[in-house]
Amino acid sequence: MRRIRVARRKTTKQVADALGVTRQTYENWENDITQPKINQFISLCTYHCIDFSSIFSQLRGNKSKTNINGKRKHNEINRS
């Protein structure tokens, strides 16, 4: 999450305010201390213009990678 936030030049406070959570809550998500609820995760993806279904595909072991906009990267495929 931090990589995406920094790439979009947003502060933790800006993202937290947009999502309706405290800065500390958001920072806990970034630091992998706590996890957002599913509705918060979807809001986070929407805020960053990311297709959350592509993230779920990656978590399930899909071999293709996506960029921060949720689009497949060309020439980047894991070969296991």
Side-chain angles (χ1 to χ4, degrees), residues 45 49-56 66 68-71:
C45 290
C49 302
I50 297 172
D51 177 20
F52 67 91
S53 63
S54 67
I55 293 173
F56 286 132
T66 57
I68 63 172
N69 295 317
K71 297 181 180 175

Side-chain angles (χ1 to χ4, degrees), residues 21-75:
V21 298
T22 66
R23 181 186 54 79
Q24 185 62 52
T25 295
Y26 179 77
E27 288 177 359
N28 285 343
W29 297 346
E30 275 196 3
N31 294 319
D32 208 18
I33 295 169
T34 60
Q35 302 294 316
K37 295 176 184 171
I38 189 69
N39 61 324
Q40 294 167 322
F41 178 73
I42 292 169
S43 294
L44 181 63
C45 290
T46 302
Y47 176 77
H48 286 302
C49 302
I50 297 172
D51 177 20
F52 67 91
S53 63
S54 67
I55 293 173
F56 286 132
S57 294
Q58 285 183 11
L59 294 173
R60 286 183 300 194
N62 188 340
K63 292 185 179 182
S64 65
K65 292 186 177 182
T66 57
N67 63 19
I68 63 172
N69 295 317
K71 297 181 180 175
R72 286 186 177 195
K73 288 183 179 180
H74 297 289
N75 301 324

Side-chain angles (χ1 to χ4, degrees), residues 1-14:
M1 286 193 291
R2 178 176 288 122
R3 181 179 56 83
I4 296 167
R5 178 183 54 79
V6 170
R8 297 200 61 217
R9 298 177 185 197
K10 300 292 183 183
T11 66
T12 56
K13 176 96 171 94
Q14 288 172 317

